Amino acid sequence: MSLDKTYRLVPGTTIFDAEQSAKGYHLNQFCMSLMTAENRASYLADERAYLDAWPLREEQKQALLDRDLNAAMREGGNIYFLAKWGATLGLSFQQMAGSMTGMTEQEYRDMMVRGGRSVEGNRIDHAVLEAAHADRTPPAKHATITGAVFTSHVPAIGAAIDHRKTDEPYWQPVFEGYEFSKRWAAENLPDVVFLVYNDHASAFDQSMIPTFVLGTGAAYPTADEGYGPRPVPGIEGHPELAAHIAHSLIRDDFDLTLVNEMSVDHGLTVPLSLMFGDVEQWPCKVIPFHVNVVQYPVPSGERCFQLGRALRRAVESYDRPLKVQVWGTGGMSHQLQGPRAGLINRAWDNAFLDRLVEDPAGLAQVPHLEYVEEAGSEGIELVMWLIARGAMSDIDAGGEIEAKHRFYHVPASNTAVGHLILENHPRAETPAEKE
């Protein structure tokens, strides 16, 4: 079923949700540009020319030129961003608020002195609310998760691809393990990949350390990680599905950081290269989902597993018939620092792969200490695989999974390479459930 957005029925109120944010992204970024004296002077010198330099819709530009805040709000503006525009024009918050109510500044000020606007007469009309609930019918079709891909995202694998070294004796066994995967990917092409990865000090440094980042933007360029960007395409996002997922996961009490602009590094691009090969454009849209596994505290395997379960509910409540795959990347055992650098634990890695298929709920209980001690300091990346595993229908929706491919190899540079493909087979809905 669709998500509950009854808040849209509150009279005289525009809630700034993910859809409004996407609609007003450039409008609000324009407002942010007015936080410097130089830009404010440029705007006031020629408003129309300054606005034309931004990718704004004509309706957005006209709302600003007309000083029509209600129109600007309808066009995706947010009052806190628009306040910077108002301040540039010399307007106070009371002047701005008064203009949206049809009052003069003095009339609005007098109303606030008397105690403000009464909530009486400003609640949702019960008849409107009942009609909205009566019209809420389940969608005829919805998005489904068709499979999960799990893979290491070793940066040296990307370098080997980019420098045409895939047939060299050192690298040939690694890439042979993905030959089936490329065929499977071509035959089971999704509309969207929800790709779980960790940024490696490319988009996020120590000035900001978010735990979970959901990419809600339209496009993301490839990061320069010190050697120049990889010669691969940037990714095209799916803002509509990402906004829906954000709404659903946050209502399920997962605190996300929503990002419209960021670069994506090897953690995301190497898995795409391994599965889709050398292409001019990735064959599907990608929603990036970053997990902090660099600086402690990092999320537990259990938290990641539960997020995956919530992700499946979010995807299946999206009322368009999209085919979605969830990819969990990172790992397997490896340590890149200290006297233990080069640590590999074949037995632990393969036991992890066994349990990922057969006992994911039990695997989710493995503590951080075991990951670090047994799989190396960077082996903690494997908690991200539990997000993709939790999104499969066999966990709590009565569906089934089918293991299509498994591969393990040592070494790829400093790392053990693990890879698994699971096809997802949701339980068929009964006629009563479809109604």
Side-chain angles (χ1 to χ4, degrees):
M1 61 179 293
S2 298
L3 297 175
D4 181 11
K5 297 182 180 179
T6 309
Y7 53 72
R8 291 179 175 175
L9 301 177
V10 178
T13 304
T14 301
I15 298 297
F16 190 68
D17 58 13
E19 287 78 9
Q20 281 292 103
S21 176
K23 185 178 182 180
Y25 178 71
H26 293 295
L27 171 58
N28 292 314
Q29 291 298 91
F30 149 78
C31 294
M32 291 295 291
S33 76
L34 300 176
M35 292 179 69
T36 68
E38 180 182 2
N39 286 344
R40 290 193 292 271
S42 296
Y43 175 66
L44 292 173
D46 190 338
E47 291 187 32
R48 182 75 208 200
Y50 194 96
L51 292 172
D52 285 343
W54 285 81
L56 303 176
R57 295 185 299 278
E58 189 59 34
E59 294 84 355
Q60 294 173 323
K61 297 177 186 179
Q62 199 60 50
L64 297 174
L65 293 169
D66 292 342
R67 311 295 192 251
D68 187 343
L69 276 163
N70 284 325
M73 299 282 287
R74 288 193 298 271
E75 288 296 322
N78 174 274
I79 190 59
Y80 293 112
F81 292 89
L82 288 165
K84 295 171 173 57
W85 168 78
T88 298
L89 299 175
L91 302 175
S92 70
F93 252 103
Q94 285 197 335
Q95 286 174 294
M96 295 175 68
S99 75
M100 290 186 281
T101 66
M103 294 180 177
T104 66
E105 180 185 2
Q106 188 60 51
E107 289 170 337
Y108 186 86
R109 183 178 292 124
D110 291 343
M111 179 189 71
M112 296 307 297
V113 169
R114 293 192 300 269
R117 189 180 303 279
S118 173
V119 72
E120 299 303 327
N122 286 290
R123 296 189 177 97
I124 303 174
D125 184 280
H126 284 291
V128 172
L129 185 60
E130 290 173 5
H133 285 299
D135 289 341
R136 189 179 299 163
T137 56
K141 296 181 179 179
H142 59 80
T144 57
I145 294 176
T146 59
V149 173
F150 308 84
T151 182
S152 302
H153 57 210
V154 187
I157 289 178
I161 295 171
D162 301 341
H163 295 288
R164 305 290 188 264
K165 295 183 177 181
T166 57
D167 291 329
E168 291 185 359
Y170 180 90
W171 286 110
Q172 194 274 336
V174 174
F175 292 102
E176 183 178 358
Y178 287 85
E179 286 302 311
F180 172 89
S181 307
K182 287 192 287 188
R183 295 192 299 272
W184 179 89
E187 294 168 0
N188 297 273
L189 189 65
D191 298 302
V192 184
V193 168
F194 186 95
L195 202 155
V196 184
Y197 75 110
N198 66 290
D199 176 79
H200 302 78
S202 300
F204 306 109
D205 57 23
Q206 288 193 289
S207 64
M208 180 170 59
I209 307 170
T211 299
F212 294 123
V213 172
L214 175 64
T216 51
Y220 305 90
T222 304
D224 184 336
E225 300 182 58
Y227 302 96
R230 288 192 64 213
V232 296
I235 66 170
E236 181 182 359
H238 198 299
E240 296 81 13
L241 178 58
H244 176 90
I245 290 171
H247 188 109
S248 183
L249 289 183
I250 292 172
R251 287 191 57 165
D252 263 345
D253 293 330
F254 288 93
D255 299 322
L256 308 181
T257 299
L258 308 183
V259 175
N260 288 302
E261 294 185 14
M262 65 179 176
S263 59
V264 292
D265 68 12
H266 72 268
L268 183 141
T269 62
V270 166
L272 291 173
S273 294
L274 285 169
M275 297 298 293
F276 296 135
D278 185 7
V279 295
E280 293 186 1
Q281 181 178 355
W282 301 120
C284 61
K285 296 183 178 182
V286 178
I287 295 176
F289 191 83
H290 155 80
V291 180
N292 169 46
V293 287
V294 173
Q295 178 174 314
Y296 279 62
V298 302
S300 67
E302 174 66 15
R303 187 63 172 163
C304 290
F305 186 62
Q306 295 303 327
L307 193 153
R309 295 174 66 194
L311 174 62
R312 181 187 59 78
R313 296 192 295 269
V315 170
E316 292 181 352
S317 66
Y318 188 66
D319 58 0
R320 296 182 190 177
L322 296 177
K323 293 180 292 185
V324 179
Q325 290 177 8
V326 185
W327 294 11
T329 74
M332 296 195 85
S333 64
H334 63 301
Q335 181 153 329
L336 304 176
Q337 47 88 16
R340 282 210 317 171
L343 184 144
I344 298 292
N345 190 335
R346 291 173 180 264
W348 194 92
D349 286 345
N350 279 287
F352 183 95
L353 291 169
D354 291 339
R355 295 187 72 187
L356 190 67
V357 177
E358 300 164 4
D359 181 27
L363 184 61
Q365 302 303 315
V366 171
H368 288 148
L369 179 60
E370 182 173 332
Y371 282 96
V372 176
E373 186 174 27
E374 297 294 332
S377 52
E378 282 65 55
I380 192 64
E381 290 178 346
L382 284 167
V383 297
M384 296 187 291
W385 291 30
L386 288 161
I387 295 177
R389 187 62 182 92
M392 297 296 95
S393 297
D394 65 314
I395 300 302
D396 54 7
E400 297 179 350
I401 58 164
E402 180 181 0
K404 300 297 292 186
H405 183 55
R406 175 170 168 168
F407 172 66
Y408 182 82
H409 177 76
V410 176
S413 184
N414 301 294
T415 308
V417 173
H419 177 39
L420 183 68
I421 296 175
L422 300 180
E423 287 188 358
N424 192 48
H425 303 293
R427 179 177 62 87
E429 293 180 339
T430 66
E433 290 172 322
K434 293 180 180 180
E435 295 177 356

